[in-house]
Amino acid sequence: MTLLKAVRGTRDLLPPETELWDRVETTARRVFARYNFGEIRTPIFEDTSLFSRSVGEETDIVSKEMYTWEDRARAQSEKSQSLTLRPENTAGVVRAYIEHKLGESGLLQKLCYIGPQFRRERPQKGRYRQFWQIGAEVIGPPSAGSESPLRDAEVLEMLASFLDELGINGWTLVLNSVGSSTDRPKYIAALREALKDKAPQMCADCQRRAETNPLRVLDCKVPEDQPIIETLPKIADFLDDASKAHFAAVLAALDACGVRYEINPRLVRGLDYYTRTTFEFTHGGLGAQNALLGGGRYDGLSEMLGGPRAPGIGFAMGLDRLILTLQAAQAESAPTLADAFVAPLGESLNADALALARELRRKGLQIELGDGGFRLKKSFEIGNKLARNIVLLGEDEQRSGILTVKHFATGEQTKIPRAELAQALRNS
RNA sequence: GCGGCUAUAGUUCAGCGGCAGAACGCCUGACUGUGGCUCAGGAUGUCGUGGGUUCGAUCCCCACUAGCCGCCCCA
């Protein structure tokens, strides 16, 4: 019989790695809460058209990477429906914002999420078909300040604090403004025009990109092409005055709070809904997938989905990539040890050992319970791997109520009354 | 979706057209209520899957699957 395996691009997360995942998620919730974000949980699948209308019909994500199926009708009166596993979460959040009329509160909505996303790409390091994102959106009616550059700067400052607090060093914030929804098409047209002359002198990839996706030419890494790229039109020259002023205000606010950034006029993003501010936090050591997180402003998205005017800004970070970065940073993190290993000496003491373990666990201690069937030597060996201390429960200890405790690191062995045990272990 | 590299013990990896290997880890004992160090012994396995070539394939060939690197794209 062939063994079943996790399907391509999916994987099991096991201890002790899951401990790291938990730490990242806990840190995110704690940091985001300080900025008054609340958690939203949207469905893992949605109507297909939600994504084609927001992310964009022509994007790679929608045109070739989505898990889509026809959900068949169950009754004569029902129609079948095209459903899709979410490839990202912003569209779902904005759909919920519209559906529940969250804008009617007149307040800014600050919503964060943690969950799996799905894209059918070729798996690679830091790239999986089921991958995890932590993200957040700030969205609301313009009267609530949703359009203000202060929102952009506040979100970026929060992300910088989050990465610092997690202990990730060496990140770079890369910023750009892609202008309003009318600026961008004008720029792309100008770029195409310029590339008609220049592309033939460029690398093969660029010649192809000039046709398929001219913005991608800006991303070319071939050294010989760089002087040519310098001569191409720049998005900054196509921004209207309002977008220019908006971007300048974002930068000023970042300067004021000391968040360092690089401006990259070539930073382009693959989702159609982005307007004005776009950004990435990158990190070396991730190979080709060097973006830890990305995001931007999406001032027209709500309207694209039939909702009210609701400018917003948000981001998503690749949890899988954060974990990879953390693992590389701390190489081999020592597994956390339990407070004590409780070792009953003989099977007749098993029941009492469970009672003792319960007592200690209820006082908040992390306890690994051995087995009276183990020889003492084995209890010590296992205990030494799993816990900081070993607590012996033999006939003497049971009779006297005074337990034998040995601290593995120092080798020091002491006798401690049962009532004082929890405190002693906690301090060890 | 395209190109390249890879797949052998729990792990990291050697290996060879003819008996399946090392290190670490694991188990047992020296040591019946005391771990780490040491010593002696032991078990590791569909050699990724399916075909083909061959007297014989873990090894050579093909396909598939999976992982890694790059492209593309993105988080």
Side-chain angles (χ1 to χ4, degrees):
Chain A
M1 194 164 69
T2 44
L3 289 176
L4 291 169
K5 297 192 287 187
V7 305
R8 187 167 164 82
T10 71
R11 63 208 176 116
D12 302 306
L13 304 171
L14 306 171
E17 190 187 340
T18 37
E19 201 177 302
L20 207 47
W21 283 72
D22 184 55
R23 206 180 93 211
V24 173
E25 291 169 16
T26 305
T27 304
R29 287 199 171 94
R30 186 180 65 237
V31 172
F32 296 178
R34 294 207 290 260
Y35 293 76
N36 214 23
F37 278 84
E39 184 172 352
I40 182 171
R41 303 192 188 192
T42 64
I44 230 162
F45 55 87
E46 300 263 5
D47 195 300
T48 302
S49 59
L50 173 65
F51 303 114
S52 49
R53 278 159 68 181
S54 58
V55 175
E57 198 80 62
E58 299 305 318
T59 60
D60 279 19
I61 292 176
V62 171
S63 64
K64 52 190 195 197
E65 294 175 1
M66 295 202 305
Y67 286 97
T68 297
W69 71 99
E70 203 61 32
D71 197 53
R72 67 175 180 275
R74 297 223 167 240
Q76 283 293 330
S77 56
E78 238 182 18
K79 278 188 291 193
S80 69
Q81 187 180 17
S82 179
L83 301 179
T84 293
L85 288 179
R86 63 187 185 195
E88 60 100 55
N89 217 332
T90 299
V93 170
V94 174
R95 192 232 354 106
Y97 173 91
I98 297 167
E99 183 170 338
H100 302 290
K101 299 184 168 30
L102 299 182
E104 295 298 305
S105 69
L107 297 172
L108 217 48
Q109 299 297 307
K110 298 163 107 171
L111 304 165
C112 65
Y113 58 84
I114 297 180
Q117 320 291 336
F118 306 85
R119 292 181 202 172
R120 200 181 180 290
E121 298 180 274
R122 182 129 168 194
Q124 230 175 86
K125 182 181 187 177
R127 189 166 84 183
Y128 307 96
R129 290 181 170 184
Q130 173 175 337
F131 60 101
W132 292 73
Q133 286 189 333
I134 299 182
E137 315 293 344
V138 180
I139 182 171
S143 60
S146 60
E147 228 171 346
S148 166
L150 185 57
R151 301 283 81 77
D152 306 43
E154 188 181 21
V155 163
L156 291 166
E157 185 276 321
M158 177 175 83
L159 286 167
S161 295
F162 168 75
L163 292 176
D164 289 344
E165 201 153 319
L166 249 192
I168 291 182
N169 303 312
W171 51 262
T172 307
L173 165 57
V174 185
L175 271 177
N176 191 23
S177 176
V178 296
S180 69
S181 52
T182 52
D183 296 340
R184 198 143 69 138
K186 277 190 245 166
Y187 173 63
I188 293 173
L191 199 55
R192 273 190 202 281
E193 191 58 36
L195 281 169
K196 271 184 190 156
D197 294 341
K198 306 258 171 76
Q201 289 111 60
M202 304 181 76
C203 70
D205 277 336
C206 280
Q207 294 184 30
R208 179 177 43 76
R209 290 177 184 125
E211 295 296 322
T212 59
N213 191 350
L215 287 174
R216 280 282 148 201
V217 172
L218 304 176
D219 231 12
C220 178
K221 280 136 200 143
V222 177
E224 291 76 28
D225 285 355
Q226 301 310 308
I228 302 175
I229 293 171
E230 290 300 324
T231 68
L232 294 171
K234 295 194 170 35
I235 181 78
D237 301 327
F238 287 78
L239 300 188
D240 60 33
D241 290 342
S243 288
K244 278 182 197 166
H246 192 276
F247 194 47
V250 173
L251 302 184
L254 288 176
D255 290 338
C257 62
V259 173
R260 303 241 298 268
Y261 55 85
E262 285 175 10
I263 294 173
N264 182 355
R266 302 176 182 180
L267 177 69
V268 288
R269 321 229 73 243
L271 286 75
D272 284 355
Y273 54 65
Y274 284 120
T275 57
R276 293 191 167 170
T277 312
T278 57
F279 58 87
E280 274 180 10
F281 282 73
T282 59
H283 196 281
L286 278 172
Q289 280 67 241
N290 70 343
L292 275 180
L293 68 94
R297 180 163 277 286
Y298 43 83
D299 288 348
L301 178 53
S302 176
E303 294 97 310
M304 285 161 72
L305 296 174
R309 182 137 183 270
I313 181 165
F315 63 86
M317 34 194 182
L319 199 37
D320 309 77
R321 292 180 188 178
L322 279 179
I323 302 285
L324 279 174
T325 307
L326 283 172
Q327 282 173 330
Q330 56 189 26
E332 195 87 359
S333 71
T336 56
L337 294 174
D339 294 305
F341 181 89
V342 172
L345 307 186
E347 292 183 8
S348 62
L349 292 151
N350 270 349
D352 198 31
L354 178 59
L356 176 61
R358 172 175 156 100
E359 210 174 291
L360 296 171
R361 286 166 175 156
R362 287 197 152 213
K363 289 177 182 170
L365 291 160
Q366 187 177 335
I367 302 296
E368 180 76 28
L369 180 58
D371 194 287
F374 295 165
R375 299 174 61 174
L376 187 57
K377 175 188 160 81
K378 179 167 174 167
S379 291
F380 266 80
E381 283 172 353
I382 299 174
N384 190 33
K385 283 175 193 160
L386 299 177
R388 296 199 318 279
N389 300 284
I390 186 167
V391 176
L392 301 186
L393 179 60
E395 287 174 10
D396 293 350
E397 285 84 357
Q398 190 186 37
R399 236 188 335 269
S400 65
I402 298 176
L403 293 141
T404 305
V405 178
K406 187 160 183 177
H407 188 65
F408 283 115
T410 61
E412 190 184 350
Q413 187 161 315
T414 49
K415 297 275 188 182
I416 300 175
R418 192 156 173 161
E420 297 167 22
L421 184 57
Q423 193 55 41
L425 290 174
R426 195 171 285 123
N427 295 338
S428 70

